[in-house]
Amino acid sequence: MVSFDIVSLYTNIPLAETIQIILDHLYKDRTPPTTIPRDDMKKLLEFATQDSHFLFNGKIYDQKDGVSMGSPLAPLLAEIFLQDFEKKHLPSFKEKGIVYWKRYVDDTFVLLDPKVSAKEIAAQLSQCHPSLKFTCEEEYTTINKDLSKEGSSQKKFTHKNQYTAEKKRSTEEKKSTPRIALSFLDVLVERQPNIGFESRKYRKETFTGLLTKWDSFVPKQYKYNAISTMVYRATRICSTYEALHDEFDIIRGLALDNGYPVAFVESIIRRQLNLIYTPPAITPTEPETDTVVLRVPYYGKPSQTYAKRVTAAVAKQYPLKQVRVVYDVTARIGQNFTTKDQIPTELKSGVVYEATCPQCKEQYIGKTCRHLKTRMNEHLSEQKKLLPPPVQEPEPKLNSKLSSKKVVGNHNLHMMMTRSKARMIKHETKQRKLLPKALTESANSQQQIETPNKTTTETKVHITRSKTRKKSSIKPDPKKLDPDEILQQGIPVDKTANQMIPKSALTKHFVSTGHAFTTNDFNILLSDRHRYRLLIKESILIRQREPKLNGTDRSIPLYIFPDGIPKNANKAYTQATRPPDNHTDTGMQAKFFSKQI
């Protein structure tokens, strides 16, 4: 007997080859093929496997090859790849001396020909594919009663009680018989020459015997399941009554060491044995019922009372509905510390955030189910569009000639500082085309009178009020109008800046006050994985803090706390739960309402 193990299977899976195996099975071997195009399926698989990343030691890495540990696709891809590996090389296993081959994920139970070596077989299997490396564990011979290896350390969960007392001498004498065994997963397999195989429960040397303590503040069902699972595994793994009896003794000792009552453990063992060896009674067929799972936070007896009342009310009003109560323990040890790298604040998702103006300290509360960094960029992108572009001074050029173009008016000079010269010329050309034909002809035939100090221009033109879009009560003299002055009055402001309507509340605040936000002004208040509960938390915080920058007072209707959670909620609850005076009308009303609840 030999057990083969694959070293680091998940991280060594060749993704390109595995994706090709999946595509060949879907579009070549399968009839009819799937309706999704092959190229689209390939892109989806590559996106789900190759384009993944992870955080380690404060840095983000891309997964180049292999699948991530803990990924939901890891077991599926590993099984697909190994099944294809076995399909290609299984015919050659018998030539290598492999008689029996059974695999569970990356662990394999193998029976070899006595003439071959297990290490040589492992080396040959490793050469079948460059991504796979096999290690082997061979069977061993022992004379210990529990089939443990010779020289192994003593179990740390040894106990002294009436169930684990020393056996009689006749039983201890069987200990001297050499036996052959091999551990595979949680099963200890014993090979008996010319007889067959026996199996029993196997525990590693590092097993400490620690279970959920009897006095732990958890639902009683948790404690029942802790013993029931061990009993069930014993009945499924142990192949003989003697091995099953020994395993029950170990379970009793473990339970007693963790404070469990003897009667509680014995009742669980009886119930499991009755389920196996007692034939089930024939029950009449009942109408199908719809099961609804109800998660109840566990706070002791009040949670159990609440669950019983809900179950009874549903059974009375809706007979075809069955409520399955699941107690959720809110306080867990893992909440106090973590072994993984903390996610950076800007990469957290499903949060309620707060943005505070750095100058006037006005606040805005929002929520997002995406990364906080994505939502912050959406807020700040509109603000960046409204910020004036930085003015860059032209670099001085040596031996440069004076420009032949004349600067007409101070407004055109300002436009050159804010926009490009080409855009200004193009805009001026369009404005000239809008002028009436008479003005254009008069501009070409204008008379210039040059003086030693300055140049004056005289123009004869007539412009209507509708064309100039000026509602002046005083009509200008057409003889004194200048086309350049008309252009100066008709030049509009930048359309891109005026036509953009800010959508974000932070951008509206920036437009009205000029106070700019930065990424340092955002802070996370609460977090939740469920979108509906996230909306409720956001609405409660908006009603409670009343931020001035929010356009609405809530994101979702609040039925329990329509005005938010009051600050003196605990004080009001204490006064409401105080025992009332039965001699007053108020006390009688409170007693009546408590009975109704």
Side-chain angles (χ1 to χ4, degrees), residues 337-369:
F337 59 89
T338 178
T339 56
K340 297 183 179 180
D341 292 348
Q342 293 185 356
I343 302 176
T345 303
E346 62 272 10
L347 294 181
K348 292 183 178 180
S349 59
V351 297
V352 178
Y353 62 90
E354 178 186 35
T356 306
C357 180
Q359 299 183 22
C360 61
K361 304 302 179 182
E362 293 187 358
Q363 298 175 344
Y364 171 82
I365 295 178
K367 65 90 185 173
T368 178
C369 296

PDB file of all heavy atoms in Angstrom, residues 337-369:
ATOM      1  N   PHE A 337      -8.634  39.485  15.544  1.00  0.00           N
ATOM      2  CA  PHE A 337      -7.350  39.498  14.848  1.00  0.00           C
ATOM      3  C   PHE A 337      -7.530  38.806  13.506  1.00  0.00           C
ATOM      4  O   PHE A 337      -8.523  38.118  13.272  1.00  0.00           O
ATOM      5  CB  PHE A 337      -6.262  38.790  15.669  1.00  0.00           C
ATOM      6  CG  PHE A 337      -6.575  37.352  15.984  1.00  0.00           C
ATOM      7  CD1 PHE A 337      -6.211  36.326  15.128  1.00  0.00           C
ATOM      8  CD2 PHE A 337      -7.259  37.021  17.145  1.00  0.00           C
ATOM      9  CE1 PHE A 337      -6.509  35.007  15.422  1.00  0.00           C
ATOM     10  CE2 PHE A 337      -7.565  35.698  17.447  1.00  0.00           C
ATOM     11  CZ  PHE A 337      -7.184  34.695  16.581  1.00  0.00           C
ATOM     12  N   THR A 338      -6.590  39.000  12.620  1.00  0.00           N
ATOM     13  CA  THR A 338      -6.629  38.397  11.301  1.00  0.00           C
ATOM     14  C   THR A 338      -5.218  38.011  10.891  1.00  0.00           C
ATOM     15  O   THR A 338      -4.245  38.653  11.292  1.00  0.00           O
ATOM     16  CB  THR A 338      -7.225  39.367  10.261  1.00  0.00           C
ATOM     17  OG1 THR A 338      -7.195  38.738   8.979  1.00  0.00           O
ATOM     18  CG2 THR A 338      -6.450  40.671  10.206  1.00  0.00           C
ATOM     19  N   THR A 339      -5.134  36.949  10.119  1.00  0.00           N
ATOM     20  CA  THR A 339      -3.834  36.476   9.640  1.00  0.00           C
ATOM     21  C   THR A 339      -3.543  36.966   8.224  1.00  0.00           C
ATOM     22  O   THR A 339      -2.470  36.682   7.698  1.00  0.00           O
ATOM     23  CB  THR A 339      -3.800  34.944   9.658  1.00  0.00           C
ATOM     24  OG1 THR A 339      -4.891  34.434   8.867  1.00  0.00           O
ATOM     25  CG2 THR A 339      -3.933  34.425  11.084  1.00  0.00           C
ATOM     26  N   LYS A 340      -4.470  37.659   7.601  1.00  0.00           N
ATOM     27  CA  LYS A 340      -4.271  38.147   6.246  1.00  0.00           C
ATOM     28  C   LYS A 340      -3.902  39.624   6.267  1.00  0.00           C
ATOM     29  O   LYS A 340      -4.118  40.325   7.255  1.00  0.00           O
ATOM     30  CB  LYS A 340      -5.538  37.931   5.411  1.00  0.00           C
ATOM     31  CG  LYS A 340      -5.928  36.482   5.230  1.00  0.00           C
ATOM     32  CD  LYS A 340      -7.143  36.360   4.345  1.00  0.00           C
ATOM     33  CE  LYS A 340      -7.526  34.903   4.126  1.00  0.00           C
ATOM     34  NZ  LYS A 340      -8.720  34.762   3.251  1.00  0.00           N
ATOM     35  N   ASP A 341      -3.356  40.093   5.145  1.00  0.00           N
ATOM     36  CA  ASP A 341      -3.037  41.503   5.006  1.00  0.00           C
ATOM     37  C   ASP A 341      -4.321  42.318   4.970  1.00  0.00           C
ATOM     38  O   ASP A 341      -5.306  41.936   4.330  1.00  0.00           O
ATOM     39  CB  ASP A 341      -2.236  41.754   3.725  1.00  0.00           C
ATOM     40  CG  ASP A 341      -0.846  41.132   3.805  1.00  0.00           C
ATOM     41  OD1 ASP A 341      -0.455  40.732   4.917  1.00  0.00           O
ATOM     42  OD2 ASP A 341      -0.173  41.037   2.768  1.00  0.00           O
ATOM     43  N   GLN A 342      -4.304  43.448   5.647  1.00  0.00           N
ATOM     44  CA  GLN A 342      -5.467  44.315   5.656  1.00  0.00           C
ATOM     45  C   GLN A 342      -5.641  44.987   4.296  1.00  0.00           C
ATOM     46  O   GLN A 342      -4.668  45.412   3.669  1.00  0.00           O
ATOM     47  CB  GLN A 342      -5.334  45.371   6.752  1.00  0.00           C
ATOM     48  CG  GLN A 342      -5.369  44.808   8.160  1.00  0.00           C
ATOM     49  CD  GLN A 342      -5.363  45.902   9.213  1.00  0.00           C
ATOM     50  OE1 GLN A 342      -5.262  47.088   8.879  1.00  0.00           O
ATOM     51  NE2 GLN A 342      -5.472  45.527  10.471  1.00  0.00           N
ATOM     52  N   ILE A 343      -6.880  45.064   3.866  1.00  0.00           N
ATOM     53  CA  ILE A 343      -7.178  45.703   2.587  1.00  0.00           C
ATOM     54  C   ILE A 343      -7.023  47.213   2.740  1.00  0.00           C
ATOM     55  O   ILE A 343      -7.524  47.792   3.710  1.00  0.00           O
ATOM     56  CB  ILE A 343      -8.593  45.348   2.126  1.00  0.00           C
ATOM     57  CG1 ILE A 343      -8.738  43.830   2.010  1.00  0.00           C
ATOM     58  CG2 ILE A 343      -8.938  46.024   0.809  1.00  0.00           C
ATOM     59  CD1 ILE A 343     -10.134  43.381   1.660  1.00  0.00           C
ATOM     60  N   PRO A 344      -6.325  47.879   1.828  1.00  0.00           N
ATOM     61  CA  PRO A 344      -6.212  49.344   1.926  1.00  0.00           C
ATOM     62  C   PRO A 344      -7.582  49.998   1.902  1.00  0.00           C
ATOM     63  O   PRO A 344      -8.550  49.464   1.350  1.00  0.00           O
ATOM     64  CB  PRO A 344      -5.368  49.709   0.688  1.00  0.00           C
ATOM     65  CG  PRO A 344      -4.613  48.463   0.343  1.00  0.00           C
ATOM     66  CD  PRO A 344      -5.511  47.327   0.725  1.00  0.00           C
ATOM     67  N   THR A 345      -7.656  51.169   2.500  1.00  0.00           N
ATOM     68  CA  THR A 345      -8.937  51.855   2.620  1.00  0.00           C
ATOM     69  C   THR A 345      -9.551  52.147   1.272  1.00  0.00           C
ATOM     70  O   THR A 345     -10.766  51.978   1.074  1.00  0.00           O
ATOM     71  CB  THR A 345      -8.748  53.164   3.404  1.00  0.00           C
ATOM     72  OG1 THR A 345      -8.168  52.865   4.679  1.00  0.00           O
ATOM     73  CG2 THR A 345     -10.072  53.861   3.625  1.00  0.00           C
ATOM     74  N   GLU A 346      -8.748  52.556   0.291  1.00  0.00           N
ATOM     75  CA  GLU A 346      -9.308  52.920  -1.005  1.00  0.00           C
ATOM     76  C   GLU A 346      -9.772  51.711  -1.808  1.00  0.00           C
ATOM     77  O   GLU A 346     -10.498  51.857  -2.790  1.00  0.00           O
ATOM     78  CB  GLU A 346      -8.283  53.699  -1.827  1.00  0.00           C
ATOM     79  CG  GLU A 346      -7.010  52.936  -2.149  1.00  0.00           C
ATOM     80  CD  GLU A 346      -5.953  53.080  -1.074  1.00  0.00           C
ATOM     81  OE1 GLU A 346      -6.283  53.617   0.005  1.00  0.00           O
ATOM     82  OE2 GLU A 346      -4.807  52.672  -1.316  1.00  0.00           O
ATOM     83  N   LEU A 347      -9.382  50.488  -1.408  1.00  0.00           N
ATOM     84  CA  LEU A 347      -9.791  49.277  -2.123  1.00  0.00           C
ATOM     85  C   LEU A 347     -10.940  48.548  -1.435  1.00  0.00           C
ATOM     86  O   LEU A 347     -11.347  47.486  -1.902  1.00  0.00           O
ATOM     87  CB  LEU A 347      -8.600  48.326  -2.280  1.00  0.00           C
ATOM     88  CG  LEU A 347      -7.451  48.814  -3.161  1.00  0.00           C
ATOM     89  CD1 LEU A 347      -6.363  47.762  -3.248  1.00  0.00           C
ATOM     90  CD2 LEU A 347      -7.944  49.182  -4.555  1.00  0.00           C
ATOM     91  N   LYS A 348     -11.473  49.080  -0.357  1.00  0.00           N
ATOM     92  CA  LYS A 348     -12.598  48.453   0.321  1.00  0.00           C
ATOM     93  C   LYS A 348     -13.882  48.730  -0.446  1.00  0.00           C
ATOM     94  O   LYS A 348     -14.063  49.807  -1.028  1.00  0.00           O
ATOM     95  CB  LYS A 348     -12.714  48.967   1.755  1.00  0.00           C
ATOM     96  CG  LYS A 348     -11.578  48.524   2.653  1.00  0.00           C
ATOM     97  CD  LYS A 348     -11.775  49.010   4.077  1.00  0.00           C
ATOM     98  CE  LYS A 348     -10.649  48.526   4.994  1.00  0.00           C
ATOM     99  NZ  LYS A 348     -10.828  48.988   6.381  1.00  0.00           N
ATOM    100  N   SER A 349     -14.787  47.763  -0.437  1.00  0.00           N
ATOM    101  CA  SER A 349     -16.062  47.877  -1.134  1.00  0.00           C
ATOM    102  C   SER A 349     -17.195  47.614  -0.157  1.00  0.00           C
ATOM    103  O   SER A 349     -17.003  47.001   0.896  1.00  0.00           O
ATOM    104  CB  SER A 349     -16.119  46.881  -2.299  1.00  0.00           C
ATOM    105  OG  SER A 349     -15.958  45.557  -1.830  1.00  0.00           O
ATOM    106  N   GLY A 350     -18.401  48.068  -0.549  1.00  0.00           N
ATOM    107  CA  GLY A 350     -19.553  47.914   0.323  1.00  0.00           C
ATOM    108  C   GLY A 350     -19.437  48.746   1.580  1.00  0.00           C
ATOM    109  O   GLY A 350     -19.522  48.217   2.684  1.00  0.00           O
ATOM    110  N   VAL A 351     -19.255  50.068   1.428  1.00  0.00           N
ATOM    111  CA  VAL A 351     -19.008  50.941   2.573  1.00  0.00           C
ATOM    112  C   VAL A 351     -19.936  52.142   2.509  1.00  0.00           C
ATOM    113  O   VAL A 351     -20.450  52.518   1.445  1.00  0.00           O
ATOM    114  CB  VAL A 351     -17.534  51.418   2.603  1.00  0.00           C
ATOM    115  CG1 VAL A 351     -16.595  50.255   2.778  1.00  0.00           C
ATOM    116  CG2 VAL A 351     -17.186  52.196   1.338  1.00  0.00           C
ATOM    117  N   VAL A 352     -20.165  52.735   3.666  1.00  0.00           N
ATOM    118  CA  VAL A 352     -20.802  54.039   3.799  1.00  0.00           C
ATOM    119  C   VAL A 352     -19.697  55.034   4.141  1.00  0.00           C
ATOM    120  O   VAL A 352     -19.013  54.879   5.154  1.00  0.00           O
ATOM    121  CB  VAL A 352     -21.894  54.041   4.885  1.00  0.00           C
ATOM    122  CG1 VAL A 352     -22.501  55.422   5.025  1.00  0.00           C
ATOM    123  CG2 VAL A 352     -22.974  53.022   4.556  1.00  0.00           C
ATOM    124  N   TYR A 353     -19.501  56.022   3.286  1.00  0.00           N
ATOM    125  CA  TYR A 353     -18.378  56.943   3.440  1.00  0.00           C
ATOM    126  C   TYR A 353     -18.880  58.349   3.746  1.00  0.00           C
ATOM    127  O   TYR A 353     -20.058  58.674   3.553  1.00  0.00           O
ATOM    128  CB  TYR A 353     -17.518  56.958   2.169  1.00  0.00           C
ATOM    129  CG  TYR A 353     -18.236  57.431   0.936  1.00  0.00           C
ATOM    130  CD1 TYR A 353     -18.257  58.776   0.573  1.00  0.00           C
ATOM    131  CD2 TYR A 353     -18.918  56.529   0.125  1.00  0.00           C
ATOM    132  CE1 TYR A 353     -18.930  59.209  -0.549  1.00  0.00           C
ATOM    133  CE2 TYR A 353     -19.581  56.949  -1.005  1.00  0.00           C
ATOM    134  CZ  TYR A 353     -19.585  58.289  -1.341  1.00  0.00           C
ATOM    135  OH  TYR A 353     -20.249  58.712  -2.448  1.00  0.00           O
ATOM    136  N   GLU A 354     -17.970  59.169   4.217  1.00  0.00           N
ATOM    137  CA  GLU A 354     -18.263  60.562   4.551  1.00  0.00           C
ATOM    138  C   GLU A 354     -17.185  61.451   3.947  1.00  0.00           C
ATOM    139  O   GLU A 354     -15.989  61.164   4.077  1.00  0.00           O
ATOM    140  CB  GLU A 354     -18.316  60.749   6.065  1.00  0.00           C
ATOM    141  CG  GLU A 354     -18.578  62.181   6.507  1.00  0.00           C
ATOM    142  CD  GLU A 354     -18.471  62.335   8.016  1.00  0.00           C
ATOM    143  OE1 GLU A 354     -17.623  61.644   8.621  1.00  0.00           O
ATOM    144  OE2 GLU A 354     -19.214  63.145   8.576  1.00  0.00           O
ATOM    145  N   ALA A 355     -17.603  62.505   3.261  1.00  0.00           N
ATOM    146  CA  ALA A 355     -16.695  63.486   2.674  1.00  0.00           C
ATOM    147  C   ALA A 355     -16.884  64.810   3.396  1.00  0.00           C
ATOM    148  O   ALA A 355     -18.006  65.332   3.466  1.00  0.00           O
ATOM    149  CB  ALA A 355     -16.954  63.645   1.181  1.00  0.00           C
ATOM    150  N   THR A 356     -15.807  65.366   3.955  1.00  0.00           N
ATOM    151  CA  THR A 356     -15.851  66.603   4.725  1.00  0.00           C
ATOM    152  C   THR A 356     -15.083  67.680   3.981  1.00  0.00           C
ATOM    153  O   THR A 356     -13.937  67.462   3.566  1.00  0.00           O
ATOM    154  CB  THR A 356     -15.245  66.393   6.123  1.00  0.00           C
ATOM    155  OG1 THR A 356     -15.897  65.296   6.763  1.00  0.00           O
ATOM    156  CG2 THR A 356     -15.405  67.641   6.976  1.00  0.00           C
ATOM    157  N   CYS A 357     -15.722  68.829   3.809  1.00  0.00           N
ATOM    158  CA  CYS A 357     -15.065  69.951   3.130  1.00  0.00           C
ATOM    159  C   CYS A 357     -13.894  70.444   3.986  1.00  0.00           C
ATOM    160  O   CYS A 357     -14.063  70.698   5.195  1.00  0.00           O
ATOM    161  CB  CYS A 357     -16.054  71.080   2.887  1.00  0.00           C
ATOM    162  SG  CYS A 357     -15.328  72.505   2.053  1.00  0.00           S
ATOM    163  N   PRO A 358     -12.705  70.599   3.415  1.00  0.00           N
ATOM    164  CA  PRO A 358     -11.558  71.010   4.232  1.00  0.00           C
ATOM    165  C   PRO A 358     -11.618  72.440   4.728  1.00  0.00           C
ATOM    166  O   PRO A 358     -10.898  72.789   5.662  1.00  0.00           O
ATOM    167  CB  PRO A 358     -10.366  70.804   3.278  1.00  0.00           C
ATOM    168  CG  PRO A 358     -10.937  70.910   1.925  1.00  0.00           C
ATOM    169  CD  PRO A 358     -12.338  70.371   2.010  1.00  0.00           C
ATOM    170  N   GLN A 359     -12.515  73.274   4.172  1.00  0.00           N
ATOM    171  CA  GLN A 359     -12.554  74.686   4.561  1.00  0.00           C
ATOM    172  C   GLN A 359     -13.773  75.021   5.414  1.00  0.00           C
ATOM    173  O   GLN A 359     -13.643  75.556   6.504  1.00  0.00           O
ATOM    174  CB  GLN A 359     -12.528  75.569   3.307  1.00  0.00           C
ATOM    175  CG  GLN A 359     -11.267  75.366   2.466  1.00  0.00           C
ATOM    176  CD  GLN A 359     -11.202  76.288   1.272  1.00  0.00           C
ATOM    177  OE1 GLN A 359     -11.851  77.328   1.250  1.00  0.00           O
ATOM    178  NE2 GLN A 359     -10.425  75.910   0.257  1.00  0.00           N
ATOM    179  N   CYS A 360     -14.981  74.678   4.909  1.00  0.00           N
ATOM    180  CA  CYS A 360     -16.193  75.014   5.665  1.00  0.00           C
ATOM    181  C   CYS A 360     -16.698  73.865   6.530  1.00  0.00           C
ATOM    182  O   CYS A 360     -17.685  74.029   7.250  1.00  0.00           O
ATOM    183  CB  CYS A 360     -17.300  75.460   4.713  1.00  0.00           C
ATOM    184  SG  CYS A 360     -17.794  74.192   3.517  1.00  0.00           S
ATOM    185  N   LYS A 361     -16.072  72.689   6.440  1.00  0.00           N
ATOM    186  CA  LYS A 361     -16.399  71.526   7.268  1.00  0.00           C
ATOM    187  C   LYS A 361     -17.807  70.993   7.039  1.00  0.00           C
ATOM    188  O   LYS A 361     -18.337  70.277   7.902  1.00  0.00           O
ATOM    189  CB  LYS A 361     -16.200  71.843   8.765  1.00  0.00           C
ATOM    190  CG  LYS A 361     -14.812  72.327   9.126  1.00  0.00           C
ATOM    191  CD  LYS A 361     -13.756  71.313   8.725  1.00  0.00           C
ATOM    192  CE  LYS A 361     -12.351  71.801   9.061  1.00  0.00           C
ATOM    193  NZ  LYS A 361     -11.311  70.848   8.626  1.00  0.00           N
ATOM    194  N   GLU A 362     -18.421  71.315   5.918  1.00  0.00           N
ATOM    195  CA  GLU A 362     -19.713  70.716   5.598  1.00  0.00           C
ATOM    196  C   GLU A 362     -19.497  69.281   5.114  1.00  0.00           C
ATOM    197  O   GLU A 362     -18.487  68.976   4.477  1.00  0.00           O
ATOM    198  CB  GLU A 362     -20.433  71.545   4.544  1.00  0.00           C
ATOM    199  CG  GLU A 362     -20.850  72.910   5.061  1.00  0.00           C
ATOM    200  CD  GLU A 362     -21.716  73.645   4.051  1.00  0.00           C
ATOM    201  OE1 GLU A 362     -21.937  73.072   2.959  1.00  0.00           O
ATOM    202  OE2 GLU A 362     -22.153  74.767   4.350  1.00  0.00           O
ATOM    203  N   GLN A 363     -20.468  68.412   5.373  1.00  0.00           N
ATOM    204  CA  GLN A 363     -20.287  66.979   5.167  1.00  0.00           C
ATOM    205  C   GLN A 363     -21.258  66.438   4.131  1.00  0.00           C
ATOM    206  O   GLN A 363     -22.334  67.019   3.895  1.00  0.00           O
ATOM    207  CB  GLN A 363     -20.478  66.221   6.487  1.00  0.00           C
ATOM    208  CG  GLN A 363     -19.480  66.598   7.566  1.00  0.00           C
ATOM    209  CD  GLN A 363     -19.775  65.924   8.887  1.00  0.00           C
ATOM    210  OE1 GLN A 363     -20.870  65.401   9.092  1.00  0.00           O
ATOM    211  NE2 GLN A 363     -18.806  65.939   9.781  1.00  0.00           N
ATOM    212  N   TYR A 364     -20.842  65.341   3.533  1.00  0.00           N
ATOM    213  CA  TYR A 364     -21.677  64.574   2.602  1.00  0.00           C
ATOM    214  C   TYR A 364     -21.524  63.103   2.927  1.00  0.00           C
ATOM    215  O   TYR A 364     -20.403  62.611   3.116  1.00  0.00           O
ATOM    216  CB  TYR A 364     -21.263  64.841   1.150  1.00  0.00           C
ATOM    217  CG  TYR A 364     -21.943  63.928   0.154  1.00  0.00           C
ATOM    218  CD1 TYR A 364     -23.229  64.192  -0.298  1.00  0.00           C
ATOM    219  CD2 TYR A 364     -21.290  62.791  -0.334  1.00  0.00           C
ATOM    220  CE1 TYR A 364     -23.852  63.354  -1.211  1.00  0.00           C
ATOM    221  CE2 TYR A 364     -21.908  61.946  -1.242  1.00  0.00           C
ATOM    222  CZ  TYR A 364     -23.182  62.230  -1.670  1.00  0.00           C
ATOM    223  OH  TYR A 364     -23.800  61.402  -2.562  1.00  0.00           O
ATOM    224  N   ILE A 365     -22.623  62.371   3.008  1.00  0.00           N
ATOM    225  CA  ILE A 365     -22.628  60.944   3.333  1.00  0.00           C
ATOM    226  C   ILE A 365     -23.179  60.190   2.136  1.00  0.00           C
ATOM    227  O   ILE A 365     -24.236  60.532   1.596  1.00  0.00           O
ATOM    228  CB  ILE A 365     -23.467  60.655   4.589  1.00  0.00           C
ATOM    229  CG1 ILE A 365     -22.825  61.311   5.816  1.00  0.00           C
ATOM    230  CG2 ILE A 365     -23.602  59.153   4.822  1.00  0.00           C
ATOM    231  CD1 ILE A 365     -23.607  61.132   7.091  1.00  0.00           C
ATOM    232  N   GLY A 366     -22.457  59.173   1.709  1.00  0.00           N
ATOM    233  CA  GLY A 366     -22.868  58.343   0.583  1.00  0.00           C
ATOM    234  C   GLY A 366     -22.476  56.898   0.805  1.00  0.00           C
ATOM    235  O   GLY A 366     -21.827  56.554   1.794  1.00  0.00           O
ATOM    236  N   LYS A 367     -22.865  56.054  -0.119  1.00  0.00           N
ATOM    237  CA  LYS A 367     -22.529  54.630  -0.049  1.00  0.00           C
ATOM    238  C   LYS A 367     -22.097  54.155  -1.423  1.00  0.00           C
ATOM    239  O   LYS A 367     -22.453  54.745  -2.459  1.00  0.00           O
ATOM    240  CB  LYS A 367     -23.695  53.801   0.482  1.00  0.00           C
ATOM    241  CG  LYS A 367     -24.940  53.787  -0.405  1.00  0.00           C
ATOM    242  CD  LYS A 367     -24.934  52.656  -1.415  1.00  0.00           C
ATOM    243  CE  LYS A 367     -26.121  52.756  -2.362  1.00  0.00           C
ATOM    244  NZ  LYS A 367     -26.067  51.782  -3.465  1.00  0.00           N
ATOM    245  N   THR A 368     -21.351  53.071  -1.466  1.00  0.00           N
ATOM    246  CA  THR A 368     -20.931  52.459  -2.708  1.00  0.00           C
ATOM    247  C   THR A 368     -20.698  50.981  -2.484  1.00  0.00           C
ATOM    248  O   THR A 368     -20.194  50.576  -1.432  1.00  0.00           O
ATOM    249  CB  THR A 368     -19.655  53.129  -3.260  1.00  0.00           C
ATOM    250  OG1 THR A 368     -19.252  52.473  -4.458  1.00  0.00           O
ATOM    251  CG2 THR A 368     -18.507  53.051  -2.253  1.00  0.00           C
ATOM    252  N   CYS A 369     -21.096  50.177  -3.464  1.00  0.00           N
ATOM    253  CA  CYS A 369     -20.835  48.743  -3.431  1.00  0.00           C
ATOM    254  C   CYS A 369     -19.542  48.395  -4.157  1.00  0.00           C
ATOM    255  O   CYS A 369     -19.121  47.240  -4.123  1.00  0.00           O
ATOM    256  CB  CYS A 369     -22.002  47.983  -4.053  1.00  0.00           C
ATOM    257  SG  CYS A 369     -23.561  48.155  -3.153  1.00  0.00           S
TER     258      CYS A 369
END
